[in-house]
Amino acid sequence: MIWWNEHNLYRKDGMFSTFPESSPIKIMERDQWWGDGWDAMEFGRDFDFEKPFFEQYGELLRDVPWPNRDVQRLVNSDYSNQAGDLKNCYLTFNSGMSENCLYGVASLKMLDSMDFYFSGNSELCYEGTNLDRCYGTFFSTDASNCRNVWYSRDCHDCMDCFGCANLRSKQYYIFNEPYRREEYFAEISKIKSQMSNEQIYAFLKTKPYRYVQAIQNINSIGEYIYNNKNARYCYQVIDGEHLAYCQNMSRGVKDSYDYTSWGNNAELIYESVSVGENVRNLKFCFNCWPGSTDLEYCVNVMSSSNCFGCVSLRKKQYCIFNKQFDKETYTALVAKIKAHMGADYGEFFPVELSPLAYNESVAIDYFPKTKEQVQADGYLWREPEERKFEITPETPACETCKRAYRILDRELEFYKRFSLPLPRICHRCRFVQRRSKLNPMQWYHSQCAKCGKEIETTFAPERPEIIYCELCYQQEAA
């Protein structure tokens, strides 16, 4: 995970970039990188059997240019990254097929929404986490097919609900109690003026939690997994089959192990990060797509097959260290290099080869650590570049990180439309708060708080929430 920057946008060499200025790699503007004006094969070199593999590969990584961003088919969405098929989106990351959205991460098919995470197929939503097929849903988590729902958790097929948890097919409910239509809207106005968000969330925590967020799975263990078969210890995975230890992917993933990010018709992937879109049989790779097959130890290799230890190639075959070989020589030389690698073969790239520091990567989100903990564990920590901004009414200071942030005109229109207060913290700190609402990627053996049944859950035993097994939860859900 330390290789993958999901939601930060930097400036490097005068360009928007996945990587900060201090990163040791070279970058090239994305359209130029994909153009015909250069050839990464010019950086090809012979493998030296007198030196370790990763030492030589690190030199190649630093010599060959990388694309400054990984985006495709964006319209008026320049401030986005790790994204495709966006229109009029701003600071939207690891997302696709969305329009008129701001500050979204890890989502698909979102429309006219702001500040959302791990959501899809929804419209006019704000501060939502794990939403699906929702409309006008605000400050809510783990909801599907809901409309005009506020400050709620684990509600499905509901309309006009406020401060509710574990409801099914309900309308005009406040704090899990039914109201007549006229009473409902009058009470909502009163509550919004008298109660704080903290008081509302405190009520939600008194209601039982399902031991796992998982729907329509067969023989699977994981958290936030949907429509999977034979998935083991997976996290945020949709539409997968025969998987283990995979995270953050959707749209068809098969027969893969230790795979992080993407999917979209991917199979036989092992120890790889951010690869996808019709890829097959990739091992120890990063950012390789689309239609690439039979790659090992490759980075930024596109639409290629049978490559080993290559960087930034496109439409190539039988290459080693960016140098062309015939099939027979390639096969023999790869076998010889693997033998030379010894115990290093079969492991992902060493952390010191990553162009990112721990706190610049998605690792800090999934496994939060302090600077001291990161350095004690042997990872790199880089302090963010200090940028001076004048604090003005147009660029207030974030109450959490003290950095200046902007409120865009269309953002202000959204707040006015739904009578929302202006945020007092910047979009980065809002993301951290939103991300913290998801359970961590760690499993514990515990017991159902109602019947005592043994369960495996991402709720740590010492946490205060009331956790129910599936049967008890279904009996509780109204």
Side-chain angles (χ1 to χ4, degrees):
M1 288 187 174
I2 199 173
W3 282 68
W4 180 35
N5 168 12
E6 181 188 34
H7 56 80
N8 296 310
L9 191 63
Y10 298 101
R11 277 197 175 273
K12 181 177 173 64
D13 300 338
M15 296 176 274
F16 289 130
S17 172
T18 306
F19 312 99
E21 191 71 58
S22 53
S23 179
I25 63 168
K26 299 175 182 177
I27 63 169
M28 184 182 291
E29 197 279 327
R30 183 256 181 203
D31 290 341
Q32 182 184 1
W33 188 92
W34 280 94
D36 297 329
W38 77 293
D39 187 356
M41 297 290 281
E42 295 174 359
F43 296 86
R45 59 200 65 183
D46 292 323
F47 184 81
D48 186 350
F49 285 92
E50 298 298 319
K51 296 180 179 179
F53 171 85
F54 288 124
E55 177 184 329
Q56 298 178 72
Y57 191 72
E59 295 172 356
L60 187 66
L61 280 176
R62 291 185 289 272
D63 288 345
V64 185
W66 296 35
N68 67 317
R69 292 186 300 153
D70 286 302
V71 296
Q72 51 185 331
R73 300 180 297 276
L74 300 190
V75 177
N76 192 30
S77 303
D78 290 341
Y79 289 82
S80 299
N81 199 10
Q82 309 287 332
D85 302 296
L86 301 183
K87 183 178 181 180
N88 301 328
C89 292
Y90 178 75
L91 292 178
T92 301
F93 302 96
N94 190 23
S95 298
M97 296 176 279
S98 299
E99 186 172 350
N100 301 330
C101 293
L102 296 85
Y103 316 122
V105 179
S107 300
L108 287 172
K109 298 182 180 179
M110 298 294 292
L111 179 64
D112 298 321
S113 298
M114 297 198 316
D115 286 287
F116 51 88
Y117 177 71
F118 191 53
S119 298
N121 308 291
S122 298
E123 182 177 353
L124 288 176
C125 294
Y126 177 69
E127 279 295 348
T129 302
N130 196 19
L131 306 181
D132 182 42
R133 293 171 288 118
C134 290
Y135 182 93
T137 300
F138 300 80
F139 304 100
S140 297
T141 62
D142 305 326
S144 68
N145 201 29
C146 288
R147 183 184 181 95
N148 196 25
V149 168
W150 291 67
Y151 296 101
S152 295
R153 169 177 62 78
D154 213 340
C155 291
H156 304 275
D157 304 308
C158 293
M159 293 178 61
D160 301 299
C161 293
F162 187 101
C164 295
N166 307 326
L167 295 189
R168 304 292 184 269
S169 303
K170 293 293 190 289
Q171 187 175 15
Y172 305 131
Y173 271 64
I174 301 174
F175 298 131
N176 283 34
E177 296 294 332
Y179 284 74
R180 289 196 298 268
R181 184 180 188 278
E182 297 76 13
E183 295 175 334
Y184 173 85
F185 290 105
E187 187 68 16
I188 288 299
S189 299
K190 186 189 305 182
I191 291 173
K192 285 184 177 180
S193 64
Q194 295 178 352
M195 293 188 69
S196 67
N197 290 0
E198 289 72 21
Q199 289 173 304
I200 298 171
Y201 293 136
F203 167 79
L204 295 180
K205 288 184 177 180
T206 66
K207 298 299 179 180
Y209 287 72
R210 190 181 186 185
Y211 81 107
V212 63
Q213 284 293 329
I215 298 175
Q216 294 182 332
N217 299 290
I218 299 174
N219 190 33
S220 298
I221 297 174
E223 184 70 293
Y224 308 108
I225 58 174
Y226 307 94
N227 305 318
N228 294 284
K229 182 179 180 181
N230 299 327
R232 312 295 290 176
Y233 299 104
C234 292
Y235 190 92
Q236 294 179 325
V237 175
I238 304 171
D239 299 328
E241 186 173 353
H242 305 307
L243 309 176
Y245 307 107
C246 294
Q247 309 88 36
N248 196 266
M249 57 189 61
S250 65
R251 294 186 290 168
V253 189
K254 293 183 179 180
D255 305 313
S256 298
Y257 190 98
D258 274 345
Y259 172 21
T260 299
S261 179
W262 204 340
N264 193 5
N265 193 26
E267 62 178 321
L268 295 175
I269 311 300
Y270 178 66
E271 286 278 4
S272 294
V273 179
S274 197
V275 302
E277 194 170 326
N278 305 311
V279 294
R280 186 179 189 277
N281 195 28
L282 271 54
K283 304 183 187 77
F284 326 112
C285 292
F286 171 73
N287 196 42
C288 295
W289 55 279
S292 289
T293 62
D294 303 298
L295 307 181
E296 294 186 76
Y297 291 107
C298 288
V299 172
N300 304 325
V301 173
M302 312 297 181
S303 305
S304 300
S305 64
N306 300 101
C307 293
F308 190 97
C310 293
V311 181
S312 294
L313 297 186
R314 290 180 287 121
K315 298 182 180 179
K316 300 297 181 182
Q317 188 176 25
Y318 302 125
C319 295
I320 302 173
F321 273 41
N322 288 30
K323 188 172 181 179
Q324 184 70 62
F325 295 91
D326 60 58
K327 180 179 180 180
E328 292 74 18
T329 305
Y330 170 86
T331 302
L333 186 53
V334 166
K336 188 176 179 181
I337 293 174
K338 289 180 180 179
H340 173 76
M341 292 176 69
D344 285 341
Y345 178 75
E347 298 294 333
F348 193 69
F349 301 111
V351 294
E352 55 267 22
L353 294 189
S354 172
L356 299 169
Y358 190 95
N359 57 312
E360 296 164 348
S361 74
V362 75
I364 196 73
D365 301 319
Y366 284 92
F367 304 101
K369 297 181 181 182
T370 65
K371 177 181 178 179
E372 292 72 24
Q373 290 172 326
V374 168
Q375 292 175 332
D377 290 340
Y379 297 106
L380 176 65
W381 180 284
R382 270 197 292 253
E383 294 295 341
E385 179 185 353
E386 289 293 333
R387 300 179 64 188
K388 301 295 183 181
F389 294 98
E390 183 180 359
I391 305 300
T392 68
E394 290 75 25
T395 55
C398 171
E399 291 185 354
T400 301
C401 69
K402 309 306 178 185
R403 296 178 183 173
Y405 66 101
R406 297 174 58 198
I407 296 178
L408 304 182
D409 289 343
R410 55 176 167 155
E411 187 178 353
L412 185 60
E413 291 173 4
F414 189 96
Y415 298 139
K416 288 180 178 179
R417 178 179 177 181
F418 296 103
S419 301
L420 295 166
L422 296 181
R424 296 182 178 179
I425 60 177
C426 67
H427 76 92
R428 288 190 182 90
C429 293
R430 297 200 301 270
F431 170 79
V432 172
Q433 287 187 354
R434 199 157 51 249
R435 180 68 179 78
S436 68
K437 294 177 182 177
L438 271 69
N439 275 8
M441 193 166 54
Q442 185 172 355
W443 283 264
Y444 304 88
H445 289 281
S446 188
Q447 292 180 326
C448 172
K450 186 175 183 180
C451 71
K453 178 183 176 181
E454 292 290 330
I455 55 176
E456 199 164 5
T457 179
T458 54
F459 288 91
E462 65 272 13
R463 286 177 57 169
E465 293 93 341
I466 304 167
I467 311 303
Y468 280 6
C469 69
E470 184 67 18
L471 180 60
C472 292
Y473 178 83
Q474 294 300 335
Q475 294 171 347
E476 172 74 18

